[in-house]
Amino acid sequence: MISYKDKKVITIGIVHELTGLSERKIRYYEERGLLFPERSKRGTRKYSFSDIELLMKIADLREDGVQTTEIKRDMIREKRKKDIRSEMLQGQLNAHFNRRP
Amino acid sequence: MISYKDKKVITIGIVHELTGLSERKIRYYEERGLLFPERSKRGTRKYSFSDIELLMKIADLREDGVQTTEIKRDMIREKRKKDIRSEMLQGQLNAHFNRRP
DNA sequence: CGTGTAAGGAATTCTGACACG
DNA sequence: CGTGTAAGGAATTCTGACACG
């Protein structure tokens, strides 16, 4: 289920090229818990294409004056909804095929 | 038709991490015309996931003693075949729908 | 709170070259 | 031919801090 889109391989300089965001901003949004780049052996941050898309969304929201705390809250809400939907789907599949989960 | 797989965004250090090939080898295969990374503004090489897959194939062939010249020749042959196939397909489509290309 | 900037160090990348085989 | 390595410079990245608002 994880493809190229989620592989963390892009350095912060390239992310800056791709998004136009300053490295300061990119690091700050991480500090606020909005995204989680991996680290290479020597400690440099590595981002995925998904991270880049997320950063663009964050940039849009920030332009509208939305604070990072609110952005984080919304992200958590959305994730919860998504988790519930996949739980329900899984439950229905179980009911049909397993009888006993 | 171009997706994340072909976007050139990965620095040589990460390519080395991912493939296990030395930077020397990676640059040399480029010198021999086997792959074509892009350059960032400041001149650092940028590779795609496709490039990484290609590098793994090259590494396998090199292990079998195949020279870079032969590898290049084979790659050109394959590309030609592929081009011909898509030309033929295009021709058939034209014949069916256009009558006159 | 969100972002810029100067600071200093450590790690990265680049090129051209010499070495060996 | 294919690859390692030492060399020197330029660019990158990192962290912690101060500034402003």
Side-chain angles (χ1 to χ4, degrees), chain A residues 53-66:
Chain A
E53 291 184 6
L54 177 55
L55 280 168
M56 317 265 261
K57 281 184 205 162
I58 294 172
D60 283 347
L61 290 169
R62 283 294 305 127
E63 266 192 61
D64 298 343
V66 185

Side-chain angles (χ1 to χ4, degrees), chain B residues 59-91:
Chain B
D60 284 347
L61 291 169
R62 284 293 306 126
E63 267 192 60
D64 298 344
V66 185
Q67 292 193 342
T68 54
T69 334
E70 305 178 53
I71 298 177
K72 179 157 194 187
R73 199 170 353 100
D74 290 356
M75 283 173 49
I76 291 174
R77 275 204 202 113
E78 263 187 55
K79 185 178 185 324
R80 193 165 45 222
K81 269 195 224 161
K82 207 175 289 177
D83 287 349
I84 289 175
R85 274 198 294 272
S86 77
E87 262 174 46
M88 288 178 60
L89 179 60
Q90 196 52 52

Side-chain angles (χ1 to χ4, degrees), chain A residues 4-5 7 9-11 14 17-18 40-41 46 49 53, chain B residues 4-5 7 9-11 14 17-18 40-41 46 49 53:
Chain A
Y4 301 116
K5 190 172 174 181
K7 287 216 92 183
V9 296
I10 310 176
T11 55
I14 309 275
E17 273 186 30
L18 259 32
S40 74
K41 289 183 185 172
K46 297 186 296 182
F49 286 109
E53 291 184 6
Chain B
Y4 301 117
K5 189 172 175 180
K7 287 215 91 183
V9 295
I10 311 177
T11 56
I14 308 274
E17 272 185 30
L18 259 31
S40 74
K41 289 182 186 170
K46 297 187 295 182
F49 285 109
E53 291 184 6

Side-chain angles (χ1 to χ4, degrees), chain A residues 64-94:
Chain A
D64 298 343
V66 185
Q67 292 193 342
T68 55
T69 334
E70 304 178 56
I71 297 177
K72 178 158 195 188
R73 201 175 345 104
D74 290 355
M75 284 172 49
I76 291 174
R77 275 203 201 114
E78 263 187 55
K79 186 178 183 324
R80 194 166 44 222
K81 270 194 222 162
K82 208 175 290 180
D83 287 349
I84 289 174
R85 274 197 294 271
S86 76
E87 262 175 45
M88 289 178 61
L89 179 59
Q90 197 52 53
Q92 292 185 331
L93 291 174
N94 285 339

